[in-house]
Each structure stands twice: as structure tokens, then as C-alpha cells.
Amino acid sequence: MDCPRITGYTEEAKEFLDRWNDSSEYITVHTSGSTGSPKNIHLLKSDMKISAKATNDFFGINSSSQLALPLSISYIAGKMMVVRSIMADCNLHIVSPGLDPLKGLPENIRFNLIPIVPAQIPGLLSHINLQDRLENIIVGGAPTTANQEKLLSAIGVPVYATYGMTETSSHVALRKIGSDYFYTALPGIEFGVDERSCLIIKSEAASYIELVTNDCVSLISPTRFQWLGRVDNVINTGGIKIFPEEIEKKLSPLIDNRAFYISSRASEKWGSEIILYVEGKDFDKEMFMAEAINYIDRKFIPKDIIAVKRLERTKTGKIIRR
């Protein structure tokens, strides 16, 4: 297939474009499996077009824009960059996925939009004068740490954390790192909450109309919310409901050089008690316990630390909580 506006054209891209241009109304997409078993779902091409247009409108992507794709097209984030380029009829530069998202991209082009995942942040930060090469960055796929966000906010390029899922054809909301605490809806999207305080995504144009999530939020307005954590991760300890993600955010400066997550186990005294899983057998537990009080309330300090050689991950690099 001749695609003159795509450079770095791959077999993966060809396969996706063949399916995009066939007579089927949907595309089969793989979910990552970070919150359940991986599965295949059917996304309507019409929904993907709506999502792509919303992102293009937000970032002002048009036929003169330059987009970069350093992610795999096997997953929704990569597929949607291709769809955005098709909808805007603009240039898309595909490079092999790797820890350095700029590797292989021409240095004489300033890219209007590039998507990355947290694992690529160190590689991105290894480059200087990023404002000369990039206009906007979106980062998703997994939560960013407090230290990562601090570093990203200082590079002179707007960086946006994304909120969305495969079922919504990528993100439905964005949060500007370094200045915003809340996620703001893309054009055409509104939000509500259910009785669990879990987010409801509403779209009059998309086929799903309303999609109930398992993400607990603080709803600020119909178009803004603060993400708190997954309802299925909530820990009830001593009658207090705790979001592990909030504790992880506060502890990340103390454990930023390695992967970790907060979990729980049964406790006769508390019902459940907080524990910390951390990657690396050489983790200094005594130092952590001594320093943790400076980062979180004493009652939220883990009762135990379980250090493992390597935490289990999905194919896309997301940590699997156990």
C-alpha cells in the first residue's frame, strides 16, 4: 500500500492500514491486562475517528502538522496516532519502540505531538533543547511518579498525562503536568459519577454513550475530575478506606529508582493492613521505614515490605498488582 505521508512504514503499520481500509466497521484491539485478563475487543472505526478528531482539535493538528510515533501499533495508543494522522491528513513518522522515544526521528523536524510511556521518560530527558524538537507530549499507559512529573515540567515543552482506556479509543481527558491537578475532558466528552464515586464517561457522539469505569474520582465539574485510584484496589484498614495510588504518589520520591506498589493482606487487628511490594532484593527496608514518616502519615506506613527480584508486568510494561 502506498502511504506517502507515513515514514518509517512497517509491516505492523501496513497490517493496521489494511484493516482500517477494509469493509469492516470495527478494528480488533488488545487490552493490556493490567486490571484483569488481557482480551480482544472490537472498536468501531466511527468511534476511533471521533476520538482522533477530538485530540486533533485540542492540539490544533492539521494537514501541515508533524506527528511522531515511537510506540507499538499493536496497542490502542499506537493505532490512534495513525488514525489521527489519517484524519488530519498530516505527516506521521514511525520509529521502532524503544527506551529513547526520539531515536530515529529526524532532528530537523519539530514534531507537533509525540506520545510516550513512563518507561521512555529517562530516554526523552537525555536529550537537550527539547523545545526545539517537540511542541506537545502526551504520556500514558501507566501512572507517572512525582519525580518524573517534576522533571517533565522543567523541559520547556507542554506535557500532558492522559486518562482513557481501550474501550474509549484512547484518552478522553488530559492533565497538564506541572500546572494542573485535574483532568479536563476532550471536546465532546462529559463526566459523572456513580454511587461508588466511580467515573462515568459520557459521549453523545460515540457508540458507548455512557461508560461506567472502576476509577474513583473527585468530580469537580461535568468536564473536570481528580483521579483518586481504582475502586478494586481500595484498602479498608481499621475502617479507613485508602487508595494505594495516593500513598504511592507520596512515597515515590523515596523509592523513585525502582518499581513498587502498595497492596494489603489480612490482619486480625485492622481487617487489612498495608504492605509494600518493591523490586530489588537489595532494598534498604530499615532506611525506608525511618524516612517514610517524612512523606506520609504514620498510620499509612506499610506494616511490612516484600522485596522481590522482579515485579510481574504485562506485555506493555505495566505492573500487575497482586
Side-chain angles (χ1 to χ4, degrees), residues 49-59 186-189:
K49 290 177 181 179
I50 291 168
S51 173
K53 185 178 185 304
T55 298
N56 287 351
D57 288 347
F58 183 92
F59 289 108
L186 287 181
I189 299 292

Short mmCIF file of all heavy atoms in Angstrom, two decimals, residues 49-59 186-189:
data_model
loop_
_atom_site.label_atom_id
_atom_site.label_comp_id
_atom_site.label_asym_id
_atom_site.label_seq_id
_atom_site.Cartn_x
_atom_site.Cartn_y
_atom_site.Cartn_z
N LYS A 49 -12.56 7.49 14.91
CA LYS A 49 -12.49 8.76 14.18
C LYS A 49 -12.92 9.92 15.08
O LYS A 49 -12.30 10.99 15.07
CB LYS A 49 -13.39 8.71 12.94
CG LYS A 49 -12.88 7.80 11.84
CD LYS A 49 -13.88 7.75 10.68
CE LYS A 49 -13.40 6.82 9.58
NZ LYS A 49 -14.38 6.75 8.46
N ILE A 50 -13.96 9.70 15.89
CA ILE A 50 -14.43 10.74 16.82
C ILE A 50 -13.33 11.08 17.82
O ILE A 50 -13.05 12.25 18.10
CB ILE A 50 -15.71 10.27 17.53
CG1 ILE A 50 -16.88 10.20 16.55
CG2 ILE A 50 -16.05 11.20 18.70
CD1 ILE A 50 -18.09 9.48 17.09
N SER A 51 -12.70 10.04 18.37
CA SER A 51 -11.62 10.25 19.34
C SER A 51 -10.44 10.99 18.70
O SER A 51 -9.88 11.92 19.30
CB SER A 51 -11.15 8.90 19.89
OG SER A 51 -10.01 9.04 20.70
N ALA A 52 -10.06 10.56 17.50
CA ALA A 52 -8.92 11.19 16.82
C ALA A 52 -9.19 12.66 16.55
O ALA A 52 -8.32 13.51 16.74
CB ALA A 52 -8.63 10.46 15.51
N LYS A 53 -10.40 12.98 16.11
CA LYS A 53 -10.74 14.38 15.82
C LYS A 53 -10.69 15.23 17.08
O LYS A 53 -10.24 16.38 17.06
CB LYS A 53 -12.13 14.47 15.19
CG LYS A 53 -12.50 15.89 14.75
CD LYS A 53 -13.86 15.95 14.08
CE LYS A 53 -14.14 17.36 13.55
NZ LYS A 53 -14.05 18.40 14.59
N ALA A 54 -11.15 14.67 18.22
CA ALA A 54 -11.13 15.42 19.48
C ALA A 54 -9.70 15.76 19.88
O ALA A 54 -9.41 16.89 20.29
CB ALA A 54 -11.81 14.60 20.57
N THR A 55 -8.78 14.79 19.76
CA THR A 55 -7.38 15.06 20.08
C THR A 55 -6.78 16.06 19.10
O THR A 55 -6.05 16.99 19.51
CB THR A 55 -6.57 13.76 20.06
OG1 THR A 55 -7.08 12.87 21.05
CG2 THR A 55 -5.10 14.01 20.36
N ASN A 56 -7.07 15.89 17.83
CA ASN A 56 -6.55 16.83 16.82
C ASN A 56 -7.04 18.24 17.08
O ASN A 56 -6.28 19.22 16.96
CB ASN A 56 -6.96 16.37 15.42
CG ASN A 56 -6.19 15.15 14.95
OD1 ASN A 56 -5.22 14.74 15.58
ND2 ASN A 56 -6.62 14.57 13.84
N ASP A 57 -8.31 18.37 17.45
CA ASP A 57 -8.86 19.70 17.74
C ASP A 57 -8.18 20.32 18.96
O ASP A 57 -7.88 21.52 18.98
CB ASP A 57 -10.38 19.61 17.98
CG ASP A 57 -11.16 19.34 16.70
OD1 ASP A 57 -10.57 19.46 15.60
OD2 ASP A 57 -12.35 19.00 16.80
N PHE A 58 -7.95 19.50 19.99
CA PHE A 58 -7.33 20.01 21.22
C PHE A 58 -5.93 20.56 20.94
O PHE A 58 -5.56 21.62 21.43
CB PHE A 58 -7.26 18.90 22.27
CG PHE A 58 -6.72 19.35 23.60
CD1 PHE A 58 -7.57 19.80 24.59
CD2 PHE A 58 -5.35 19.32 23.87
CE1 PHE A 58 -7.07 20.23 25.82
CE2 PHE A 58 -4.85 19.74 25.08
CZ PHE A 58 -5.71 20.20 26.06
N PHE A 59 -5.14 19.82 20.16
CA PHE A 59 -3.76 20.21 19.91
C PHE A 59 -3.57 21.00 18.61
O PHE A 59 -2.44 21.36 18.27
CB PHE A 59 -2.86 18.97 19.87
CG PHE A 59 -2.66 18.33 21.22
CD1 PHE A 59 -3.25 17.11 21.52
CD2 PHE A 59 -1.88 18.95 22.19
CE1 PHE A 59 -3.07 16.52 22.77
CE2 PHE A 59 -1.69 18.37 23.43
CZ PHE A 59 -2.29 17.15 23.72
N LEU A 186 -11.80 16.09 26.81
CA LEU A 186 -11.63 16.47 25.43
C LEU A 186 -12.98 16.95 24.88
O LEU A 186 -14.03 16.67 25.47
CB LEU A 186 -11.13 15.28 24.60
CG LEU A 186 -9.68 14.85 24.80
CD1 LEU A 186 -9.36 13.69 23.89
CD2 LEU A 186 -8.71 15.99 24.56
N PRO A 187 -12.96 17.67 23.77
CA PRO A 187 -14.23 18.14 23.18
C PRO A 187 -15.20 16.98 22.95
O PRO A 187 -14.83 15.92 22.46
CB PRO A 187 -13.78 18.75 21.84
CG PRO A 187 -12.36 19.17 22.07
CD PRO A 187 -11.79 18.14 23.00
N GLY A 188 -16.46 17.19 23.35
CA GLY A 188 -17.49 16.18 23.15
C GLY A 188 -17.65 15.18 24.27
O GLY A 188 -18.51 14.29 24.21
N ILE A 189 -16.84 15.30 25.33
CA ILE A 189 -16.87 14.37 26.46
C ILE A 189 -17.36 15.09 27.72
O ILE A 189 -16.97 16.23 27.98
CB ILE A 189 -15.49 13.76 26.73
CG1 ILE A 189 -14.99 12.96 25.51
CG2 ILE A 189 -15.50 12.88 27.97
CD1 ILE A 189 -15.77 11.71 25.22
#
